[in-house]
């Protein structure tokens, strides 16, 4: 889910346990008071995949991604570990196993980090291309080729910065980011000062499974005006609305795939440990520690599943309309105007409209329950069929 409130990824099962209370989500940022000396900063550039990759990896805005500094420390430690064992232990099968452990762990961390980073880049790749806009005390406006977005700075969740990049996140689920290379600003020095101040006010924070702000309907004034024949919607989208769609099927497959892989890894690790260490006191104690460590991500996945598949609370609340020009949508953290050219595929079911963003695994969603009556729902579906991209196979 992104700042304009109508995007959901096809992989919302998050193996990281969200904190019960996140100040960045619960407490709006008094950006006007904190940055009174900063006037509007305008930016314009060509955003590339390399920019997005650097904006996520080099700024360390995603706290779940293992940083390269941490990986380097692990590798150095394991090198000393291997050297120590080689000097004090005679070669045998147990030593060979111990020597393989650091290599396997390091390789696994590298693979996990690479896959997570690639997925994060892919979820933001549709924002590549020419961009321009501005940042001021109240708002960040950013114009893409097919979409214009307005995000309220008071709902900024986290900020990451590096020597050449400023990355802003308005989404507590941290699926999408706004990456602004510092070359985009005419006054680089002021941009650096802004990046430093924002990163102090909103440092990187843990991921939330659900952004609670998106579960409240926005009451802001729309920055755009609808056409006379626009089809309006407002309300919540629930898990049941998505179950029989392509997105719901992807969620279930993703959960099943993760469960199988994690279960296979956990069982293999435990069995291998007891096979080589035996059922000694040392082996049992370490085995219990391994079980405890492995139980944490398992509990987190269960909580994530309950949060994303529960029908008692909405996944998100949004409002807006469809017209011949595209879709306007509004959530508590911002607003968005998307042209029909932003989407590459659609799915219209009895209860849902799904619009797939081109070049990404992200979707704009509108449910039947958000339309005030049958006529409004049919009008919305008609706009999608008439002006939207082809139906998904």
């Amino acid at each position: 889910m992104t700042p304009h409130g109508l995007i959901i990824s096809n992989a919302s099962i998050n193996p990281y346990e969200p904190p019960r209370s996140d100040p960045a989500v619960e407490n709006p940022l008094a950006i006007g008071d904190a940055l009174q000396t900063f006037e509007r900063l305008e930016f314009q550039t060509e955003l590339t995949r390399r920019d997005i990759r650097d904006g996520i990896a080099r700024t360390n805005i995603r706290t779940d991604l293992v940083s390269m500094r941490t990986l380097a420390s692990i590798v150095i430690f394991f090198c000393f570990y291997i050297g120590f064992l080689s000097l004090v232990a005679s070669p045998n099968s147990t030593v060979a196993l111990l020597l393989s452990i650091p290599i396997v762990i390091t390789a696994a961390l590298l693979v996990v980090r690479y896959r997570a980073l690639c997925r994060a880049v892919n979820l933001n790749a549709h924002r590549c291309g020419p961009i321009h806009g501005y940042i001021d005390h109240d708002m960040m406006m950013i114009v893409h080729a097919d979409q214009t977005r307005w995000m309220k700075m008071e709902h900024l969740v986290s900020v990451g910065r590096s020597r050449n990049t400023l990355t802003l996140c308005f989404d507590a689920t941290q699926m999408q980011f706004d990456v602004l290379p510092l070359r985009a600003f005419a006054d680089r020095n002021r941009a650096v000062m802004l990046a430093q101040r924002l990163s102090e006010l909103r440092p990187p924070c843990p991921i939330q499974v659900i952004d609670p702000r998106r579960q409240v309907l926005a009451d802001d004034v729309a920055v755009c005006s609808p056409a006379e024949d626009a089809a309006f919607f407002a309300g919540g989208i629930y898990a049941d609305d998505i179950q029989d769609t392509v997105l719901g099927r992807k969620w279930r497959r993703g959960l099943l795939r993760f469960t199988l892989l994690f279960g296979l890894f956990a069982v293999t690790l435990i069995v291998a440990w007891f096979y080589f260490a035996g059922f000694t006191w040392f082996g049992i104690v370490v085995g219990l520690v391994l079980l405890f460590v492995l139980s944490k991500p398992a509990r987190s996945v269960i909580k994530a599943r309950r949060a994303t598949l529960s029908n008692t609370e909405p996944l998100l609340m949004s409002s807006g309309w469809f017209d011949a020009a595209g879709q306007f949508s509004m959530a508590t953290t911002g607003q968005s105007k998307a042209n029909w050219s932003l989407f590459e595929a659609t799915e219209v079911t009895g209860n849902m409209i799904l619009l797939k963003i081109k070049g990404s695994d992200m979707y704009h969603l509108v449910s039947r329950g958000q339309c005030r009556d049958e006529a409004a729902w049919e009008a919305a579906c008609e706009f999608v069929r008439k002006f939207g991209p082809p139906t998904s196979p």
Side-chain angles (χ1 to χ4, degrees):
M1 289 167 282
T2 59
H4 44 81
L6 282 176
I7 295 184
I8 290 185
S9 165
N10 71 358
S12 67
I13 302 301
N14 194 319
Y16 302 96
E17 183 175 359
R20 293 184 177 180
S21 176
D22 187 345
V25 173
E26 295 184 354
N27 302 320
L29 180 64
I31 198 76
D33 297 335
L35 300 174
Q36 289 181 352
T37 59
F38 279 92
E39 299 177 358
R40 175 176 293 187
L41 283 177
E42 296 186 352
F43 56 85
Q44 182 174 358
T45 190
E46 181 86 14
L47 192 66
T48 66
R49 286 182 65 95
R50 177 65 178 270
D51 292 328
I52 293 175
R53 185 180 183 88
D54 290 346
I56 298 173
R58 295 184 180 275
T59 62
N60 295 323
I61 193 169
R62 281 280 295 268
T63 58
D64 61 307
L65 288 179
V66 182
S67 68
M68 293 306 296
R69 182 178 299 178
T70 302
L71 281 174
S73 300
I74 293 173
V75 171
I76 293 172
F77 169 78
F78 283 154
C79 288
F80 281 106
Y81 171 81
I82 293 173
F84 174 77
L85 287 180
S86 300
L87 291 174
V88 303
S90 59
N92 55 53
S93 59
T94 302
V95 172
L97 173 68
L98 293 174
L99 290 174
S100 68
I101 289 177
I103 299 174
V104 172
I105 292 177
T106 303
L109 287 174
L110 287 170
V111 170
V112 169
R113 184 184 190 276
Y114 176 78
R115 288 176 60 87
L117 181 58
C118 286
R119 179 177 178 273
V121 172
N122 290 336
L123 289 177
N124 292 269
H126 63 282
R127 293 181 173 174
C128 293
I131 62 171
H132 68 273
Y134 66 83
I135 301 177
D136 62 20
H137 295 164
D138 304 314
M139 191 80 64
M140 183 178 87
M141 186 193 78
I142 183 166
V143 180
H144 305 268
D146 303 310
Q147 185 183 36
T148 302
R149 293 178 294 119
W150 299 264
M151 282 78 70
K152 294 191 293 186
M153 293 298 290
E154 65 176 316
H155 289 298
L156 186 63
V157 172
S158 60
V159 175
R161 68 183 181 95
S162 65
R163 186 175 64 178
N164 297 312
T165 307
L166 168 64
T167 303
L168 302 97
C169 180
F170 293 84
D171 177 15
T173 65
Q174 299 187 33
M175 288 182 182
Q176 292 200 306
F177 302 92
D178 284 289
V179 177
L180 299 176
L182 295 184
R183 68 172 184 273
F185 296 90
D187 191 335
R188 182 186 175 94
N189 291 333
R190 289 181 63 205
V192 170
M193 294 173 62
L194 176 65
Q196 180 177 356
R197 187 68 179 119
L198 287 177
S199 62
E200 293 172 353
L201 293 170
R202 281 290 187 253
C205 59
I207 289 176
Q208 299 270 328
V209 175
I210 294 290
D211 191 335
R213 300 169 303 173
R214 309 299 173 84
Q215 297 176 305
V216 179
L217 197 61
D219 59 357
D220 297 330
V221 177
V223 298
C224 298
S225 299
E228 293 184 0
D229 61 343
F232 294 88
F233 57 88
I237 296 177
Y238 293 83
D240 278 356
D241 298 326
I242 303 175
Q243 294 309 302
D244 295 328
T245 66
V246 61
L247 184 57
R249 291 188 289 272
K250 286 181 178 180
W251 278 1
R252 290 193 293 271
R253 288 198 298 268
L255 177 63
L256 178 61
R257 181 169 58 249
F258 178 84
T259 302
L260 291 176
L261 290 175
F262 180 79
L264 179 62
F265 170 77
V267 171
T268 302
L269 182 62
I270 296 297
V271 171
W273 170 254
F274 281 115
Y275 176 78
F276 287 99
F279 288 92
T280 62
W281 283 110
F282 174 75
I284 292 174
V285 170
V286 175
L288 291 175
V289 171
L290 288 175
L291 286 173
F292 174 77
V293 171
L294 293 172
S295 68
K296 185 173 181 179
R299 293 195 306 269
S300 298
V301 170
I302 293 173
K303 290 183 178 180
R305 181 187 183 281
R306 289 174 179 171
T308 53
L309 300 183
S310 171
N311 212 46
T312 58
E313 296 288 341
L315 295 174
L316 61 90
M317 299 279 283
S318 60
S319 60
W321 63 79
F322 290 107
D323 57 26
Q327 180 199 37
F328 175 83
S329 57
M330 179 165 55
T332 53
T333 53
Q335 305 181 26
S336 165
K337 177 62 177 177
N339 302 331
W340 289 111
S341 55
L342 177 67
F343 310 111
E344 66 179 9
T346 64
E347 182 183 17
V348 179
T349 69
N351 294 313
M352 284 295 302
I353 294 173
L354 293 88
L355 298 167
K356 185 177 184 297
I357 297 177
K358 60 184 179 183
S360 175
D361 259 349
M362 306 294 285
Y363 294 79
H364 282 216
L365 307 178
V366 175
S367 71
R368 189 188 197 112
Q370 292 180 285
C371 300
R372 66 176 181 270
D373 53 32
E374 189 66 21
W377 169 251
E378 290 298 331
C381 293
E382 183 60 27
F383 273 116
V384 174
R385 295 189 186 101
K386 184 176 181 179
F387 297 104
T391 303
S392 300

